[in-house]
Amino acid sequence: MDPISPVRDDSGTAPFADLMAANETFATEHAAELEGFDGVARAGVAIVTCMDSRIQPLQMLGLTHGDAKIFRNPGGRVTDAALEALVLGVHLLGVRRILVVPHTRCAMTSKTENELRETISELTGIDAWFQRFHVVPDQEAALAEDVHRVTSHPLIQDRAEVGGFRYDVDTGRLTQLV
């Protein structure tokens, strides 16, 4: 196979063709607003939230393209990678407010670590017991811990306001818990 040719699926079409077409439309329609943007968070906001597709981080806060830095992962946890992003955001990208936002009905709160490993092992036929999934048995305790990780980080501490919120995927409302 030619390494430059797009991959084809069983139907003979490129698996990303629809997305590339949509991107072409996006680029054409938004070229003026994208040109020259410096990447600084215009609203001074960073959001750590879950990868769940029901969450629209910018829209839920009345923000738009370029207003915030967004870090997403399963469960919306403040991982080491999230902390790295937040430190860079605070010092280089204009972040002054940080929201940590897990959500209701999160899959990471519904199973144990072992249950997820069993499920993935069954689905793949590969023993997934080596993989950590960082389940969240107590979402409020995890949120308090995550906010503390940010506020006590020596490179962030008092350089940004930090809040812990829960997003309700059924109503679209945020509730501040920390």
Side-chain angles (χ1 to χ4, degrees):
M1 171 183 272
D2 178 356
I4 298 178
S5 298
V7 177
R8 305 277 176 208
D9 64 17
D10 292 339
S11 69
T13 62
F16 300 102
D18 60 329
L19 301 175
M20 294 304 293
N23 175 255
E24 185 58 36
T25 301
F26 171 81
T28 301
E29 293 175 0
H30 298 281
E33 85 181 65
L34 297 173
E35 188 175 333
F37 180 60
D38 62 7
V40 172
R42 289 188 293 225
V45 173
I47 304 163
V48 177
T49 193
C50 187
M51 62 189 262
D52 191 299
S53 58
R54 295 172 290 183
I55 301 169
Q56 297 179 321
L58 294 174
Q59 293 87 338
M60 76 179 179
L61 297 169
L63 301 176
T64 190
H65 173 78
D67 285 345
K69 297 300 170 193
I70 301 167
F71 189 91
R72 296 176 81 134
N73 63 44
R77 297 301 310 271
V78 175
T79 60
D80 289 344
L83 277 172
E84 176 184 345
L86 293 173
V87 168
L88 292 171
V90 166
H91 292 283
L92 302 176
L93 302 170
V95 169
R96 299 178 312 278
R97 296 178 288 171
I98 299 169
L99 293 85
V100 181
V101 187
H103 64 94
T104 59
R105 297 196 297 123
C106 182
M108 298 309 292
T109 66
S110 65
K111 294 184 186 273
T112 67
E113 195 79 18
N114 287 343
E115 288 170 336
L116 276 177
R117 288 178 178 141
E118 287 174 14
T119 299
I120 300 299
S121 294
E122 288 172 16
L123 291 170
T124 63
I126 298 170
D127 184 351
W129 288 90
F130 65 92
Q131 180 67 50
R132 284 206 55 213
F133 293 104
H134 306 281
V135 299
V136 184
D138 182 339
Q139 195 177 57
E140 288 191 30
L143 181 58
E145 176 186 320
D146 286 346
V147 168
H148 179 71
R149 284 194 81 196
V150 178
T151 59
S152 65
H153 193 285
L155 299 176
I156 299 174
Q157 291 180 335
D158 296 329
R159 293 172 177 90
E161 296 295 322
V162 182
F165 305 80
R166 182 170 33 227
Y167 177 74
D168 188 316
V169 296
D170 296 310
T171 68
R173 286 190 169 78
L174 279 177
T175 302
Q176 186 165 7
L177 302 175
V178 182

